[in-house]
Amino acid sequence: MIDQYQAFTQSPIGKFVVKNLGLPSPVVLDRFESGQPVIKGAVLMGAAPSSSLTSGIAQVLSNIHADSYAGNNAEIQQAAAQVGLNLRAFNSGDKESKFKAVVFDASGIQNSEQLDELYKFFNPIVRQIESSGRVIVLGTSPESAKTVKQAIAQRALEGFIKSVGKEFKKGITAQVVYVDEGAVNNIESTLRFLLSPRSAYVSGQVIRVSKAEVVQVDWDKPLAGKTALVTGASRGIGEAIAHVLARDGAHVICLDVPQQQVDLDRVASEIGGSALGLDITAADAGEKIKAAAAKQGGLDIIVHNAGITRDKTLANMKSELWDLVININLSAAERINDYLLANDGLNTNGRIVCVSSISGIAGNLGQTNYAVSKAGVIGLVKFTAPILKNGITINAVAPGFIETQMTAAIPFAIREAGRRMNSMNQGGLPVDVAETISWFAATGSTGINGNVVRVCGQSLLGA
Ligand code: NAD
């Protein structure tokens, strides 16, 4: 799906106008389709000296059969040989080669002087990254650095990828993945997501991977055998989440308010799932969710997607609107989690995924209630993650401007600004949020806990 302005920029006259007036020129982003390989195109690997993640990266590239290249780097060659990765030589003077992804292991950078490794590697190849390309820099989590100097240098990587995300254009995304000590074997699900078109609208993000059990999974059906429940599933983003989780192998219980029953039944039948008409603010919501999932072998994944806006400036806001938004968007999810966790309502290796918003990060005029609720969701993730047991994880997405009924109702000028003020110069699609949720929910995402990842095309709001 492309918007009207985007369609115009693709036409001959549109190309002429865009070029001469210096207007934004959104590219059509690659998106994932079932049966596709993880990545279509070549991957260039690089690494700072003495980096510790190189063999883990090579292992993933080997697993996904990536057409992999590296310059004259003995450490990468050795790592590739160890894991059986067929690595092809790249001569940095070769300006003809094009890369769909560039993966750089920066974990060996020990101090700020060594940050020139980024410059030396990336400067010659910047123009050789294809449209919808991927730049992924992996580093050592600053918190687990051995020295202050190392922590500072590793923290500096964030500035690099955030600038790359803004500078490279053509739908190219850039992320930094911080890997905790001992967590190198937990990077596969994250690298697969970031390399693939599933992460089309995720850019400028900082992702943290922690050490956890490594599980064997069928990567083509990463949710096979799992039962998921999605709240607010009758339309919009929730509907897309239900579709993607079902595509990835889960049985999905679609929940929405009873007034939405017709659409809810439609979505459930489209994906071979089941429907649960329920208001999440009901006192017994947790109990009813547990009972519905019990028929499917218990709950593995819960996605707290249902949410509402009731925008008014604080001076004009009635207390009912304040209470309603916070109750639905935050307190209901808290109560359901509390019930499920206290009553064996979530299976071992369960996944809790919440939906926040960039409003909860940046704040927004007329949205004090909504921003409080969505910032609270970030708090819910941060403070619940460390206390979870049995391999259960909790993470959140924070969508930016996503093309839904909610954003279609925004007045034209504000809508156009929201749509263009990001590195992709376009709004995201519900499926972009859904793909990110499916990565969090994946059986293989054992080391992803406590992350908040924006699906906002690197929106300028709250950046
Ligand atoms: P939507 O209004 O299209 O869908 C929300 C769904 O939640 C509806 O089907 C609604 O019936 C359901 N719901 C509301 N209250 C409920 C309750 N008490 N119990 C059960 N279900 C309830 O909205 P959307 O755009 O698809 O948004 C989905 C989520 O994404 C929300 O949490 C929203 O805040 C968040 N979000 C959306 C955007 C965007 O651009 N659309 C941006 C950031 C965050």
Side-chain angles (χ1 to χ4, degrees):
M1 190 193 114
I2 57 175
D3 62 65
Q4 275 179 343
Y5 173 79
Q6 208 177 349
F8 170 69
T9 63
Q10 310 288 321
S11 67
I13 176 84
K15 281 185 183 146
F16 176 80
V17 172
V18 163
K19 190 164 173 227
N20 286 286
L21 295 183
L23 295 174
S25 173
V27 301
V28 179
L29 303 177
D30 288 358
R31 289 206 164 76
F32 179 75
E33 283 166 32
S34 287
Q36 272 186 0
V38 174
I39 183 162
K40 285 197 228 165
V43 181
L44 179 66
M45 262 183 94
S50 306
S51 286
S52 58
L53 305 169
T54 310
S55 59
I57 298 166
Q59 181 69 67
V60 176
L61 295 182
S62 169
N63 293 353
I64 65 172
H65 309 294
D67 181 18
S68 308
Y69 291 77
N72 188 14
N73 182 320
E75 290 180 33
I76 297 180
Q77 282 152 5
Q78 199 185 350
Q82 268 167 13
V83 302
L85 172 68
N86 180 16
L87 191 68
R88 300 213 250 167
F90 169 65
N91 168 358
S92 61
D94 164 12
K95 295 291 168 202
E96 296 304 311
S97 297
K98 298 281 179 229
F99 299 103
K100 195 69 179 180
V102 181
V103 183
F104 186 76
D105 181 0
S107 60
I109 294 178
Q110 298 296 330
N111 54 51
S112 56
E113 287 84 4
Q114 292 175 5
L115 286 165
D116 69 343
E117 293 293 334
L118 290 170
Y119 177 85
K120 285 192 290 190
F121 176 74
F122 280 99
N123 168 269
I125 52 113
V126 170
R127 294 192 178 88
Q128 290 168 260
I129 304 175
E130 293 175 313
S131 283
S132 285
R134 299 285 183 264
V135 173
I136 304 169
V137 173
L138 291 97
T140 301
S141 307
E143 297 75 17
S144 64
K146 298 276 187 293
T147 67
V148 172
K149 283 192 181 306
Q150 187 191 11
I152 294 167
Q154 292 294 322
R155 176 61 180 77
L157 302 176
E158 283 190 34
F160 181 73
I161 62 94
K162 287 185 181 176
S163 296
V164 164
K166 291 185 177 169
E167 196 175 294
F168 284 17
K169 310 281 185 212
K170 298 191 297 185
I172 295 168
T173 67
Q175 342 281 345
V176 63
V177 180
Y178 285 126
V179 183
D180 279 357
E181 198 173 350
V184 63
N185 294 327
N186 296 104
I187 62 176
E188 181 154 4
S189 86
T190 300
L191 277 190
R192 282 175 176 264
F193 171 68
L194 295 179
L195 286 168
S196 84
R198 292 172 194 252
S199 54
Y201 203 61
V202 176
S203 192
Q205 297 307 291
V206 178
I207 292 160
R208 289 166 194 276
V209 180
S210 41
K211 186 172 167 24
E213 191 190 343
V214 179
V215 290
Q216 296 303 318
V217 291
D218 170 1
W219 292 105
D220 290 333
K221 286 274 175 221
L223 302 177
K226 301 292 175 183
T227 298
L229 182 135
V230 180
T231 69
S234 73
R235 66 180 202 196
I237 294 173
E239 179 178 358
I241 298 168
H243 274 270
V244 168
L245 298 188
R247 179 203 70 194
D248 286 348
H251 175 90
V252 183
I253 304 169
C254 304
L255 179 152
D256 213 303
V257 286
Q259 300 91 299
Q260 289 289 110
Q261 195 70 46
V262 175
D263 280 329
L264 194 59
D265 289 339
R266 173 185 55 80
V267 175
S269 87
E270 280 166 7
I271 61 171
S274 34
L276 177 61
L278 177 69
D279 186 326
I280 54 166
T281 62
D284 60 353
E287 216 172 309
K288 291 225 167 91
I289 288 171
K290 186 183 169 190
K295 295 177 204 151
Q296 308 290 338
L299 194 61
D300 299 292
I301 299 156
I302 181 157
V303 183
H304 294 294
N305 162 76
I308 60 163
T309 49
R310 291 292 183 272
D311 298 354
K312 284 276 176 213
T313 57
L314 189 56
N316 291 328
M317 191 181 299
K318 300 242 175 346
S319 69
E320 302 85 82
L321 294 191
W322 176 277
D323 293 343
L324 187 70
V325 167
I326 292 175
N327 195 19
I328 293 177
N329 295 2
L330 176 60
S331 308
E334 263 184 281
R335 282 191 300 266
I336 292 169
N337 288 351
D338 287 348
Y339 180 86
L340 294 175
L341 292 170
N343 294 283
D344 279 336
L346 209 49
N347 292 341
T348 298
N349 283 325
R351 303 275 181 266
I352 304 170
V353 187
C354 302
V355 178
S356 178
S357 163
I358 55 168
S359 246
I361 295 167
N364 211 3
L365 190 154
Q367 290 199 320
T368 48
N369 52 355
Y370 185 71
V372 163
S373 72
K374 294 298 186 180
V377 167
I378 294 172
L380 175 68
V381 166
K382 288 285 168 215
F383 300 112
T384 307
I387 59 169
L388 290 172
K389 301 195 174 70
N390 301 329
I392 296 172
T393 64
I394 182 167
N395 297 282
V397 289
F401 185 98
I402 305 296
E403 306 280 358
T404 61
Q405 283 180 21
M406 193 169 106
T407 47
I410 300 173
F412 175 77
I414 303 174
R415 186 170 74 230
E416 251 329 88
R419 202 179 249 158
R420 304 292 164 216
M421 276 170 49
N422 59 70
S423 298
M424 303 293 153
N425 296 132
Q426 60 193 285
L429 302 181
V431 71
D432 299 326
V433 180
E435 296 282 12
T436 310
I437 287 176
S438 187
W439 156 56
F440 283 147
T443 309
S445 292
T446 46
I448 308 297
N449 191 21
N451 277 270
V452 177
V453 170
R454 295 166 55 143
V455 185
C456 67
Q458 202 179 18
S459 169
L460 294 178
L461 289 179

